[in-house]
Amino acid sequence: MSGNGNAAATAEEKSLKMRVIRVGTRKSQLARIQTDSVVATLKALYPGLQFEIIAMSTTGDKILDTALSKIGEKSLFTKELEYALERNEVDLVVHSLKDLPTVLPPGFTIGAVCKRECPYDAVVFHPKFVGKTLETLPEKSVVGTSSLRRAAQLQRKFPHLEFKSIRGNLNTRLRKLDELQEFSAIILAAAGLQRMGWQNRVGQILHPEECMYAVGQGALGVEVRAKDQDILDLVGVLHDPETLLRCIAERAFLRHLEGGCSVPVAVHTAMKDGQLYLTGGVWSLNGAESMQETMQATIRISAQHEDGPEDDPQLVGITAQNIPREAQLAAENLGISLATLLLNKGAKSILEVARQLNDAH
């Protein structure tokens, strides 16, 4: 995780020393590992502060018999944690950034976007198919995924396979794969498997040409109260500039498309030689129709940040006061421009049909 070290620490510690910083998290093992990693970094930066982790269940954790795309709730894994933030029961919450909607409820903001781990999807095979790839699985093999985005892209790429919804946390899904004879393989985010220490279960990594990833996948976001300047300053040192700018572009693309988990939308971003490249795509539910485009923008992140009042410092729900505003706006504009291009080429009808079909099933 990025940070400008202990220079920032002293002033923050003075104003926060009298309070215990309470950190909210979901109860799953992965959520706890992610939260522990962020708290460990904060403790190293601010050795004089005390932190307490408070775990709670969310709607998404409780409704396990329905596909995520059917529940029709944008803040499935965040709402209960936001209630706790609102009631001052916690001071910050660690999320997988991909779980955070592109429009946050009033009063909240993402105060840090931590350095991204591998954003790709990974295939975990049933023990009897270890050594296979999706391409070499037998005809009509069933592959489990909770994501319309993955299913749409992979049905198009691997028409000999069948895709079926699978829910539950990582432990539950792996148990379903291994113990039931229902699935030949399941698709999971590579970053989650890495954080759990389960890299040995990864049978195949899906690169963007096979399956583009979800907006924000692989990155952690720290949500705080938008007006709690002490906590904003505290977590702001965790921002990783490259991850932040890539994710601003991705979130702006998704927001402008009005996408969510009920439609298949995917992205791929890269920063190289001062250029931010964004590829975005939309698919019909069965993957038969698709549309993809790539655009790029010049991004300068070495420029000095100029302090000045902002009417609304947030971009796509993110506040980053220590990263040049010009770079953030360029990333946001790139996302909006790419979404506009796809909408002008007919993406809206693909998304509308996908949304209607998903609602009807």
Side-chain angles (χ1 to χ4, degrees):
M1 290 175 194
S2 135
N4 38 12
N6 292 333
T10 46
E12 296 332 309
E13 286 189 69
K14 278 179 190 151
S15 62
L16 291 166
K17 213 145 200 176
M18 301 309 290
R19 57 195 269 206
V20 175
I21 311 300
R22 295 149 310 162
V23 184
T25 177
R26 288 166 61 195
K27 284 183 173 171
S28 76
Q29 187 185 352
L30 176 59
R32 288 301 305 261
I33 287 170
Q34 293 176 166
T35 300
D36 288 348
S37 75
V38 170
V39 169
T41 305
L42 287 171
K43 279 180 175 171
L45 288 166
Y46 305 102
L49 295 186
Q50 280 188 288
F51 295 85
E52 178 189 356
I53 295 174
I54 298 167
M56 55 195 85
S57 293
T58 66
T59 307
D61 296 314
K62 293 168 189 165
I63 305 174
L64 293 176
D65 56 352
T66 309
L68 291 179
S69 59
K70 304 276 189 238
I71 303 170
E73 168 63 72
K74 278 189 178 162
S75 52
L76 274 179
F77 295 110
T78 59
K79 194 191 275 181
E80 282 80 0
L81 296 162
E82 284 169 346
Y83 284 155
L85 258 183
E86 192 171 35
R87 293 190 301 260
N88 283 326
E89 291 167 9
V90 297
D91 300 300
L92 56 118
V93 177
V94 179
H95 301 280
S96 293
L97 187 61
K98 68 185 172 76
D99 290 338
L100 280 164
T102 55
V103 179
L104 296 185
F108 302 108
T109 190
I110 299 164
V113 175
C114 305
K115 187 172 176 61
R116 189 176 221 164
E117 292 193 44
C118 174
Y120 300 149
D121 289 314
V123 189
V124 179
F125 292 92
H126 186 281
K128 70 181 177 192
F129 291 120
V130 167
K132 296 274 190 189
T133 64
L134 290 182
E135 198 163 359
T136 60
L137 277 177
E139 190 84 20
K140 299 274 190 258
S141 291
V142 177
V143 177
T145 173
S146 58
S147 155
L148 294 179
R149 167 190 64 80
R150 292 170 182 148
Q153 291 181 81
L154 295 172
Q155 271 177 297
R156 183 182 177 91
K157 193 91 182 165
F158 305 104
H160 70 293
L161 301 176
E162 292 181 5
F163 293 86
K164 187 175 170 184
S165 176
I166 184 170
R167 289 288 320 284
N169 60 37
L170 282 191
N171 310 59
T172 304
R173 286 190 233 178
L174 281 175
R175 195 169 61 248
K176 285 180 179 175
L177 171 67
D178 291 343
E179 294 177 7
L180 308 177
Q181 297 305 309
E182 190 176 355
F183 299 101
S184 301
I186 57 175
I187 317 288
L188 301 165
L193 290 162
Q194 282 176 357
R195 290 179 187 131
M196 293 285 275
W198 293 342
Q199 295 94 322
N200 63 323
R201 289 302 308 265
V202 174
Q204 183 178 3
I205 292 284
L206 297 173
H207 293 282
E209 56 276 13
E210 296 166 305
C211 188
M212 289 201 292
Y213 43 84
V215 165
Q217 186 160 312
L220 300 180
V222 181
E223 189 177 18
V224 302
R225 289 179 290 274
K227 297 218 176 333
D228 192 340
Q229 193 58 50
D230 282 346
I231 298 292
L232 267 170
D233 292 341
L234 177 88
V235 302
V237 296
L238 299 177
H239 273 304
D240 177 70
E242 180 177 317
T243 302
L244 170 80
L245 294 168
R246 288 171 61 187
C247 289
I248 284 176
E250 293 172 17
R251 286 171 66 83
F253 171 71
L254 183 65
R255 180 196 272 189
H256 200 67
L257 282 178
E258 295 180 355
C261 58
S262 62
V263 288
V265 174
V267 293
H268 170 56
T269 48
M271 285 271 282
K272 193 176 178 189
D273 302 327
Q275 296 289 306
L276 175 57
Y277 298 85
L278 169 64
T279 302
V282 302
W283 286 261
S284 59
L285 285 190
N286 64 2
E289 285 187 89
S290 77
M291 195 173 286
Q292 286 179 54
E293 292 290 345
T294 301
M295 292 179 85
Q296 68 192 81
T298 301
I299 304 274
R300 280 186 284 275
I301 40 181
S302 55
Q304 282 301 305
H305 177 57
E306 293 175 19
D307 286 324
E310 295 285 354
D311 290 336
D312 181 9
Q314 290 197 42
L315 294 180
V316 286
I318 298 169
T319 302
Q321 293 160 335
N322 54 344
I323 307 290
R325 183 77 174 170
E326 183 189 346
Q328 294 183 59
L329 288 168
E332 183 188 45
N333 288 335
L334 175 62
I336 293 169
S337 299
L338 184 63
T340 303
L341 174 64
L342 285 179
L343 289 170
N344 289 343
K345 294 181 100 174
K348 196 176 183 77
S349 65
I350 294 177
L351 290 172
E352 276 175 0
V353 170
R355 200 173 275 118
Q356 286 163 5
L357 280 173
N358 182 56
D359 292 345
H361 280 81

